[in-house]
Amino acid sequence: MQDFDLLTSPAVQEFIQNAIKKKMDALQISTALNKAGYSNEDRAAIMDYMALVPKFREKFYGEAGKKSDKFLLCDRLALEQSTAQDIGKYKANLWSAGQQGLVMSGRPVVHDLCCGMGGDSYFIPKDFDVIGVDLDEARQAMYRYNTQVVRGTAGETILDDVREVARKNSSADADSKRPADFFTIDPARRAVEGENQRDLRNLTPTFEEVLEISRHYQGGMAKLPPGYPTDEIPQDAELVYLGSHSDCRELLVLFGKLAINPGKVRAIMVDKEGNVVKTADGTDAIWSGSLSDIQAASNKDAEHDLPGCERSFRNATSESDLPVGSVSNFIAEPTALLIRSHLFGSVAVAAAPDAHLISEGIAYVTSDSPLPAPAFANFQILDKCEIATSAVRDMLKRHNVGKLTMKLRGVKLDPDEEIKRLKPKGKESAILFYTRFKGEKIAILAKRI
């Protein structure tokens, strides 16, 4: 366990502030700490912690964090697992909406189950009381300190198994304290031995246990990996996929009073401050669909196992109801939010009725006109050919292309090595897609618009 008294002492925090301001390197920091009389163990603890300070300031305070003098308690793992400010700020809206019609007396109470350093509690509206639940005393110490810094009031903590706390919350043997109205939980993901990836279903507590936990509260939310299979999710829940232009960061399952749209799926794009991004026509970048439709598409994803396609490929694909057809004038790449939520097909057809796939199970959409941004990145097709070195070289030569960016789906190779092998020579820049057309490999040359 870290020496939190050391790290939170005024002397150490003042030292860290000065070291950051002076942009001291590791040798200078170690020398200064040695001169100040710190032991080897204390120096190591302080320097390890210093490496995290700019990271948690950026994660929880954004641009303002660069000038912040606030300290939070954490270790590397706790910081990695915590919810960042952009997602946290947006989620504050979900709590406020769920409060409507809540049966309660006094201020609403939230149990932050598996609370860690407290990231999921920081942006819960301040008219809610938060209580952190964890089996790790160090995490609880982080939680109390950090909620005091961020919220202005230290959150209470309970040292117990979250499943037991949930059971007691609605039972006759509950503590004398008023039961919590809501819960939030971020189950731990366990790595499978021998794999770099984590098994999405291998959670602690399991999703089945999360469902049981949800029955002991008026409402709540569970944070799952964005690629989590949706077939286990009940129809009275609501799914919310959250992310930015470039990624899908969280899958939230909303239960009870927080499920304002039961049986629905929403994909929501937010900016760095947690505000919903605007589309070109001024509407919110929020796309929605039916949970039952999404579950059907999600189940079909597992059927696609094209030759040369590893897990990373399958995670970048998505089944949809779009038909398969010929290569049209434009090729569009759906944002990760729409791929993960399986909504890209319905969004594409709503904008361009002729939109279709070029190969089943691969999330590239083609149409005669561009599809709406930021839902899609659009590319105008210049040419296409089979994936053969001589054919691709001839295509690049015809279009005077010398600078390439490669995009791969359905084809396994090293992009850098392939560009070296093609030896493009020319003055123009282009995007080279290596993908599939009706299951067969194809190279598509395009320019982003």
Side-chain angles (χ1 to χ4, degrees):
M1 180 172 173
Q2 288 179 293
D3 187 347
F4 292 146
D5 289 336
L6 171 70
L7 300 178
T8 59
S9 66
V12 168
Q13 294 195 354
E14 182 180 1
F15 174 86
I16 293 174
Q17 289 282 38
N18 290 333
I20 292 175
K21 190 177 298 183
K22 295 177 181 178
K23 299 181 179 180
M24 296 169 62
D25 61 28
L27 179 58
Q28 291 171 321
I29 292 170
S30 180
T31 301
L33 289 172
N34 186 46
K35 287 182 178 178
Y38 290 99
S39 67
N40 290 341
E41 285 187 359
D42 286 350
R43 289 204 306 275
I46 293 169
M47 293 181 70
D48 287 346
Y49 177 69
M50 283 186 68
L52 301 176
V53 172
K55 295 180 181 179
F56 67 62
R57 286 179 173 173
E58 179 182 6
K59 187 167 190 174
F60 301 117
Y61 297 101
E63 283 298 312
K66 295 177 181 179
K67 299 179 181 179
S68 174
D69 60 355
K70 293 184 178 180
F71 288 89
L72 300 176
L73 285 178
C74 65
D75 54 31
R76 181 189 57 80
L77 185 59
L79 180 58
E80 288 177 354
Q81 294 174 337
S82 288
T83 299
Q85 71 145 4
D86 54 349
I87 300 298
K89 284 183 176 180
Y90 177 80
K91 284 161 62 172
N93 302 309
L94 303 176
W95 293 107
S96 298
Q99 190 178 358
Q100 305 300 317
L102 187 66
V103 180
M104 63 179 182
S105 59
R107 291 162 58 89
V109 178
V110 179
H111 276 166
D112 186 345
L113 306 175
C114 306
C115 64
M117 69 176 288
D120 284 315
S121 286
Y122 298 160
F123 303 102
I124 293 175
K126 291 188 178 179
D127 57 344
F128 286 61
D129 291 331
V130 295
I131 300 173
V133 182
D134 209 294
L135 280 171
D136 189 320
E137 292 185 12
R139 294 287 193 271
Q140 290 205 331
M142 294 176 189
Y143 184 88
R144 289 190 296 270
Y145 183 89
N146 295 340
T147 50
Q148 175 69 58
V149 172
V150 179
R151 295 176 59 85
T153 304
E156 298 179 41
T157 55
I158 299 174
L159 185 67
D160 203 348
D161 187 294
V162 298
R163 292 158 288 202
E164 186 65 15
V165 170
R167 185 189 66 79
K168 290 180 180 178
N169 193 60
S170 62
S171 67
D173 62 340
D175 296 337
S176 59
K177 297 178 181 178
R178 182 166 70 86
D181 307 288
F182 295 116
F183 75 94
T184 179
I185 188 168
D186 181 6
R189 279 171 265 172
R190 300 191 297 272
V192 179
E193 186 176 355
E195 290 192 10
N196 293 326
Q197 300 288 335
R198 292 176 182 271
D199 185 343
L200 297 180
R201 292 182 185 270
N202 203 7
L203 305 177
T204 305
T206 65
F207 187 70
E208 183 178 13
E209 290 171 325
V210 171
L211 291 178
E212 176 58 31
I213 286 170
S214 72
R215 299 184 179 100
H216 300 287
Y217 297 85
Q218 293 193 58
M221 65 174 67
K223 182 170 74 173
L224 299 180
Y228 193 86
T230 59
D231 56 326
E232 302 172 9
I233 297 171
Q235 291 297 315
D236 60 351
E238 178 182 0
L239 269 62
V240 177
Y241 290 83
L242 291 172
S244 65
H245 283 87
S246 60
D247 61 9
C248 182
R249 303 252 295 285
E250 286 190 10
L251 164 57
L252 292 180
V253 183
L254 307 181
F255 300 96
K257 295 293 185 181
L258 291 191
I260 305 300
N261 304 289
K264 298 294 183 182
V265 176
R266 288 186 289 161
I268 302 173
M269 185 179 292
V270 298
D271 62 21
K272 292 181 179 180
E273 295 300 318
N275 302 309
V276 179
V277 171
K278 297 292 184 181
T279 64
D281 62 4
T283 59
D284 288 341
I286 299 177
W287 304 281
S288 60
S290 162
L291 174 56
S292 57
D293 290 345
I294 301 312
Q295 287 174 326
S298 179
N299 289 338
K300 288 182 181 179
D301 269 355
E303 299 173 7
H304 294 291
D305 191 12
L306 300 177
C309 300
E310 296 183 336
R311 178 185 301 186
S312 59
F313 162 71
R314 293 197 296 271
N315 285 349
T317 68
S318 183
E319 182 71 24
S320 80
D321 292 331
L322 290 175
V324 176
S326 60
V327 180
S328 300
N329 295 328
F330 295 88
I331 186 169
E333 183 177 28
T335 180
L337 275 169
L338 290 182
I339 293 176
R340 288 299 195 188
S341 62
H342 298 273
L343 292 172
F344 73 90
S346 59
V347 175
V349 168
D354 70 312
H356 56 275
L357 302 178
I358 59 173
S359 194
E360 187 176 3
I362 295 181
Y364 282 141
V365 183
T366 185
S367 58
D368 288 331
S369 57
L371 297 177
F376 297 87
N378 290 281
F379 306 84
Q380 185 174 13
I381 295 175
L382 303 175
D383 208 340
K384 59 184 184 294
C385 69
E386 63 176 327
I387 296 181
T389 301
S390 59
V392 176
R393 280 178 179 169
D394 287 344
M395 181 171 66
L396 297 177
K397 186 177 180 180
R398 284 196 302 273
H399 294 274
N400 194 28
V401 173
K403 184 177 180 180
L404 280 178
T405 299
M406 293 202 69
K407 287 181 171 290
L408 309 176
R409 281 188 185 163
V411 177
K412 182 185 176 184
L413 53 76
D414 184 315
D416 293 332
E417 290 300 318
E418 180 66 8
I419 292 173
K420 288 179 183 178
R421 182 162 48 249
L422 293 172
K423 300 176 181 178
K425 297 176 182 179
K427 296 181 179 180
E428 301 297 326
S429 300
I431 310 294
L432 181 61
F433 292 82
Y434 273 14
T435 184
R436 303 260 174 170
F437 173 58
K438 297 183 179 180
E440 299 299 321
K441 294 180 181 180
I442 187 174
I444 298 175
L445 191 66
K447 283 196 172 185
R448 182 160 187 167
I449 60 171

